[in-house]
Amino acid sequence: MENPAPNSLPPAVAGRSAALGPGAGYEGPAFESAQSESARSESARSESRTGFFYALGAYLLWGLLPVYMKALSHVAPVEVVAHRVIWSVPVALGVLIWLGRTSDLRAALRQPRMLAMAAVNAALISVNWGIYVWAVGAGRALDAALGYYINPLFSVFLGAVLLGERLRPTQWLALGLAAGGVALVTWEAGSLPLVALSLTLTFGFYAYFKRALPIGPNQGFALEVLILLPFGIGFYLWFALRGESHFLTGNALDSLLLLGCGVVTAVPLILYANGAKRLRLTTIAMMQYIAPTMIFLTAVFVFGEPFGGRRLLAFGLIWSGLAIYTLALRGGEGRSEGRGPQV
């Protein structure tokens, strides 16, 4: 085939020029560069929209989780957590098979240091799940909401203490308001809000150690539940042998709800993992308040938990701190861990 003459147009461009009519010529590299930039921009917007809906789905599912767990309030929290672990394993492994990332998990299982790091994360998140399940069943969902509201500010505090990050005045103000809210709750109740603080501490340190785990979020979650699986099976057998198991023992609804614990645990985490990587940290930072707000509203208006004036003032202080923290992020101050409750 002969090459086109040096001054001739490429066939595709020549055809376009002819279609446009006399006077239409080759726009040149600048035009093609602009088209390429426009295509990249549209692709980025599409990725951002996809990420937004993934993350939104995760936070909405986390926000609705108290209703699901309330239906299991008559089941021992340890048994519920055991089933969250057991039935999360097939979901997590199924996702890795679908993504073609099982080799990463196999490699992690052969590294003692990786296993030790994942074991710490697994212990923290299992305790977090247990406290959360107990809190919802015991009528303390408001405390759970409080804990997850405080969590972003606790992450900022950990960054300052453990990573040596310098806090700006607005961040110190946000931390001070949150501390004031906790102090007010303590004064009203006559004791520390242990449920809220336990959820904050366990998840805050979970997020901190998760950063150091050199593996993707989907693979990391699969590794954590695999580490917990022997304990989950052990607790299930313990309840079954004592005749106290609620799984496959008469009540079909209980069995279905326990079986579904894997889906309600794993799916939001997977949605979040695939949404967060497509979004800016500031977007995630603002979206992460969806779940605790839904938990708060469910606790007050669905479960009818008491919410008096002093507690309203305490939550108001914490909400003010979160507002200052979020506005500082939008202005370029600080950073967010961008993680969800993982409850």
Side-chain angles (χ1 to χ4, degrees):
M1 179 182 295
E2 292 183 359
N3 291 327
N7 293 326
S8 66
L9 298 177
V13 177
R16 186 169 68 243
S17 297
L20 291 172
Y26 179 43
E27 293 90 342
F31 177 80
E32 292 186 347
S33 176
Q35 281 191 319
S36 177
E37 182 63 32
S38 175
R40 284 195 297 269
S41 177
E42 179 59 32
S43 176
R45 284 195 293 270
S46 177
E47 280 285 287
S48 182
R49 282 194 297 270
T50 302
F52 174 81
F53 286 113
Y54 276 143
L56 180 63
Y59 286 121
L60 290 176
L61 288 173
W62 275 323
L64 292 170
L65 190 58
V67 178
Y68 193 97
M69 291 301 162
K70 195 71 168 180
L72 288 168
S73 60
H74 59 288
V75 180
V78 173
E79 185 179 1
V80 175
V81 173
H83 283 279
R84 291 188 75 169
V85 170
I86 293 169
W87 304 116
S88 287
V89 171
V91 178
L93 293 181
V95 169
L96 291 187
I97 293 170
W98 179 57
L99 295 174
R101 303 304 296 270
T102 55
S103 59
D104 297 340
L105 180 61
R106 289 196 300 269
L109 289 169
R110 292 192 294 267
Q111 300 178 41
R113 182 174 179 272
M114 181 92 75
L115 287 172
M117 295 170 67
V120 172
N121 287 344
L124 287 167
I125 200 62
S126 62
V127 172
N128 183 274
W129 288 347
I131 295 169
Y132 178 85
V133 171
W134 176 85
V136 172
R140 306 285 291 275
L142 267 177
D143 288 343
L146 177 65
Y148 289 121
Y149 272 129
I150 298 170
N151 184 71
L153 299 178
F154 181 68
S155 293
V156 172
F157 176 75
L158 280 183
V161 174
L162 299 180
L163 301 178
E165 296 175 354
R166 295 184 62 184
L167 300 186
R168 296 174 181 269
T170 50
Q171 292 174 309
W172 280 116
L173 177 59
L175 288 174
L177 287 169
V182 172
L184 192 54
V185 170
T186 302
W187 176 56
E188 185 216 17
S191 61
L192 284 170
L194 293 179
V195 171
L197 292 178
S198 298
L199 289 171
T200 298
L201 289 170
T202 52
F203 183 72
F205 280 107
Y206 171 80
Y208 173 78
F209 289 121
K210 186 85 166 177
R211 292 179 57 186
L213 192 65
I215 193 172
N218 293 325
Q219 299 93 315
F221 175 67
L223 183 59
E224 290 161 9
V225 291
L226 278 174
I227 290 171
L228 291 171
L229 182 60
F231 300 97
I233 293 174
F235 277 113
Y236 164 68
L237 292 175
W238 186 72
F239 279 105
L241 292 173
R242 289 168 57 93
E244 298 175 0
S245 173
H246 289 78
F247 186 66
L248 301 178
T249 55
N251 190 327
L253 180 59
D254 284 349
S255 297
L256 287 173
L257 288 173
L258 290 171
L259 185 62
C261 280
V263 173
V264 300
T265 298
V267 169
L269 289 169
I270 293 165
L271 287 175
Y272 172 80
N274 289 279
K277 66 183 181 183
R278 292 174 167 88
L279 295 173
R280 294 179 300 175
L281 286 177
T282 49
T283 303
I284 285 291
M286 288 183 287
M287 293 182 72
Q288 67 184 332
Y289 306 130
I290 294 173
T293 300
M294 290 179 66
I295 296 171
F296 167 80
L297 294 173
T298 301
V300 175
F301 296 108
V302 179
F303 299 159
E305 294 186 16
F307 188 68
R310 290 177 183 172
R311 181 160 283 203
L312 175 61
L313 180 57
F315 269 81
L317 288 173
I318 293 166
W319 289 332
S320 299
L322 290 172
I324 292 169
Y325 163 76
T326 305
L327 289 173
L329 280 176
R330 288 182 63 84
E333 298 184 27
R335 63 179 180 172
S336 166
E337 293 300 320
R339 297 188 182 273
Q342 303 211 9
V343 291

